[in-house]
Amino acid sequence: MSQSKLQPPRGTRDFYPDEYRQREWLFDHFRSVAHQFAFEEVDAPTVEHAELFTRKAGEEIVDQLYHFELHDRHLALRPEMTPSIARMVIARAGALRMPLRWFTVTQNWRYERMTRGRKREHYQWNMDIWGEPSVSAEAELIAAIFALLDAVGLERGDVKLRINSRALLEESLREGVLRDRPEAFAPLCVAIDKLDKIGADAVTRQLIDTDGAVHLDEAAARFVVAMLELKDLGEAARLAPAGSQALADLERLFQLLDAYGVADQVVFDASVVRGLAYYTGIVFEAFDTGGELRALCGGGRYDQLAETLGGKPVPAVGFGFGDVVIGELLKDKKKLPLLMRPVDDMVFAFGEGERPAAIRVARRLREAGRRVELTLSGGKLKRALADADRVGAARIWLLGPDEIERGVARVKDLASGRESDEKLEDAGS
Ligand code: HAM
């Protein structure tokens, strides 16, 4: 096998124990916050029918699909969780008690151009609420994002969440540049989502491209791009039609976020539209305030996805929060913990004659719920003591012929250095 084949494929990761512990530490926080909000965990296959993901709005995610033909089936590794969740909801729509509060922690695959914070596989924590049309659902989800940021030790002010509404944008364009062309709205959003990446001129060119799905005239395209500059809800409100529901929803959301105590961390930003075609209402993305990294998480309302996939309409809103960007931010802020192998007790037999007694001690301790490393062959006591120290074990149990004869083990408390004899049958009690 060539040297390069010993590396994982570009953009994918091996998780050695240190990295795996950090990953689990983060996932434990994902799960614990989701449980605080009384969400239930679900899962779905990593491989789905490719058709579940192949939408035709020009989204990057579709071009980045890992897909293959097998026994006449066209299958794909999931690039995101939302279509699978939608499929699960549609399949049992009548039997599920709405609103549903579901969360997942899953690995997703996208053949991306790699930059800092973007890989070709990543894990994503998703929280989604199905069956709730009001923005109280958005507010609850955004509060959960901040609960996670608090839980991992970030400071308030390290992250800002930018909020916009596709519905507000759509209302503002419906009677003007998109009159009689509602189908152009989703590809328009996909195009303007690239503003940060490719700049205003390139986005304008895409909007006026006569072969594209949007093809606005140049003045209309410039009007749309100018709208994205708005950073003040009051200004955006002036472009909205009278009695706008989308505007009322946005205003209500900001009020609710105040009650959740996160008003200082959220801002209106008309340039946030998201790159996925299915969003229909409020959309949001969180960024580090230092402006160094890509989005930590993103989400929004997607009330028509169930219908698009052939189900009955069900309102839905959710977010995806990746493991890569938060990892980078925690590293930058020196908040990523260095976690040790969890060992409470080491048990060391001086020779093979003492091994059965050592095994019994280890068994008792394990049955009592302690995490026990039993040394597997004689070896040197010095090395065992150093190992016990390194992993932060509380005690080491030493079993030599003298101790066995007296029915005891010599137990060293590694914090204090104190040694005592413990009866073998008392281990774990
Ligand atoms: P997304 O914005 O494509 O949304 O991804 C959500 C988050 O996943 C991103 O903000 C980022 O943290 C992480 N992520 C995405 N792609 C990569 C990558 N290539 N490398 C590392 N991290 C990545 C969605 O996927 C939607 N399905 C979220 C959603 C759930 N909307 C409603 N419910």
Side-chain angles (χ1 to χ4, degrees):
M1 195 157 161
S2 70
Q3 263 328 74
S4 67
K5 296 285 183 307
L6 290 178
Q7 300 298 321
R10 194 168 140 71
T12 69
R13 296 165 289 176
D14 292 325
F15 290 88
Y16 285 82
D18 286 346
E19 293 124 26
Y20 192 89
R21 275 194 287 277
Q22 284 177 333
R23 181 181 113 178
E24 289 305 293
W25 169 85
L26 179 66
F27 291 4
D28 284 350
H29 283 302
F30 287 160
R31 292 198 162 92
S32 124
V33 168
H35 288 140
Q36 271 170 30
F37 283 72
F39 278 56
E40 294 177 284
E41 188 161 5
V42 296
D43 202 359
T46 318
V47 176
E48 291 271 14
H49 295 291
E51 200 190 343
L52 187 64
F53 306 116
T54 47
R55 300 175 292 255
K56 294 190 178 63
E59 297 153 286
E60 274 187 338
I61 199 169
V62 177
D63 298 331
Q64 295 166 341
L65 209 57
Y66 279 88
H67 61 110
F68 52 96
E69 301 270 348
L70 196 67
H71 301 299
D72 293 332
R73 291 196 178 84
H74 188 195
L75 301 168
L77 298 183
R78 64 171 166 233
E80 56 159 339
M81 203 57 202
T82 313
S84 302
I85 299 283
R87 184 178 59 61
M88 288 170 71
V89 173
I90 294 167
R92 298 233 180 131
L96 295 168
R97 195 178 165 77
M98 303 283 173
L100 294 178
R101 296 167 169 85
W102 281 3
F103 82 95
T104 53
V105 181
T106 60
Q107 191 177 30
N108 304 317
W109 297 84
R110 301 182 189 183
Y111 198 82
E112 290 242 17
R113 197 143 48 81
M114 288 200 324
T115 54
R116 186 171 181 215
R118 284 291 177 273
K119 300 201 174 290
R120 292 187 176 157
E121 54 72 28
H122 70 281
Y123 284 84
Q124 222 185 73
W125 170 47
N126 279 239
M127 283 178 72
D128 290 88
I129 298 178
W130 281 77
E132 177 53 58
S134 79
V135 289
S136 54
E138 276 89 335
E140 184 83 344
L141 292 167
I142 291 171
I145 292 170
F146 284 105
L148 185 279
L149 297 171
D150 289 346
V152 296
L154 288 169
E155 306 285 332
R156 287 294 171 106
D158 284 344
V159 173
K160 272 256 183 310
L161 187 108
R162 303 188 198 151
I163 304 179
N164 188 20
S165 163
R166 274 200 188 177
L168 184 65
L169 180 65
E170 198 267 332
E171 279 179 357
S172 312
L173 303 180
R174 191 188 297 158
E175 296 306 322
V177 304
L178 286 186
R179 173 173 290 205
D180 302 327
R181 297 187 48 230
E183 73 289 351
F185 183 66
L188 176 132
C189 290
V190 170
I192 59 186
D193 177 63
K194 300 183 191 131
L195 186 71
D196 273 355
K197 227 193 264 175
I198 63 176
D201 287 341
V203 168
T204 309
R205 276 198 299 280
Q206 287 197 5
L207 292 178
I208 58 185
D209 179 5
T210 45
D211 293 330
V214 193
H215 55 90
L216 301 179
D217 64 43
E218 184 161 353
R222 297 226 175 269
F223 171 75
V224 170
V225 171
M227 274 186 76
L228 307 180
E229 303 287 306
L230 299 177
K231 298 277 183 282
D232 179 274
L233 189 51
E235 282 176 54
R238 280 203 297 280
L239 294 174
S244 160
Q245 181 60 42
L247 183 62
D249 283 348
L250 261 178
E251 286 169 344
R252 178 74 181 146
L253 176 59
F254 280 102
Q255 271 173 10
L256 297 180
L257 292 175
D258 188 34
Y260 278 104
V262 298
D264 290 351
Q265 276 77 51
V266 294
V267 288
F268 171 76
D269 184 335
S271 71
V272 172
V273 286
R274 311 271 298 130
L276 300 166
Y278 50 63
Y279 293 112
T280 51
I282 304 267
V283 281
F284 51 86
E285 280 177 349
F287 291 88
D288 65 300
T289 39
E292 298 285 318
L293 303 165
R294 306 267 309 253
L296 286 150
C297 68
R301 181 164 283 280
Y302 50 101
D303 287 347
Q304 285 156 20
L305 183 60
E307 234 178 320
T308 314
L309 293 174
K312 293 207 178 73
V314 189
V317 54
F319 68 79
F321 191 123
D323 65 328
V324 182
V325 183
I326 185 80
E328 296 283 333
L329 183 59
L330 289 167
K331 232 182 279 163
D332 285 0
K333 300 276 177 198
K334 307 211 175 348
K335 291 279 165 64
L336 201 57
L338 268 180
L339 302 164
M340 283 190 289
R341 183 156 64 96
V343 178
D344 298 318
D345 293 79
M346 291 262 280
V347 178
F348 178 82
F350 281 83
E352 286 312 297
E354 292 80 48
R355 180 156 306 280
I359 289 172
R360 281 189 205 100
V361 167
R363 262 177 64 195
R364 288 207 178 92
L365 292 169
R366 285 171 181 156
E367 280 160 13
R370 298 186 63 86
R371 294 165 298 187
V372 179
E373 180 179 316
L374 174 67
T375 50
L376 295 177
S377 53
K380 289 212 168 57
L381 174 60
K382 209 165 146 201
R383 187 186 151 104
L385 281 168
D387 279 352
D389 230 18
R390 197 163 39 82
V391 297
R395 296 177 300 182
I396 183 162
W397 298 66
L398 306 170
L399 289 114
D402 292 355
E403 282 81 16
I404 305 275
E405 212 174 293
R406 289 188 290 125
V408 298
R410 190 90 188 134
V411 179
K412 180 168 182 178
D413 181 303
L414 289 151
S416 66
R418 262 199 301 276
E419 291 188 22
S420 58
D421 285 342
E422 298 281 337
K423 283 208 184 102
L424 291 177
E425 64 267 26
D426 287 349
S429 59

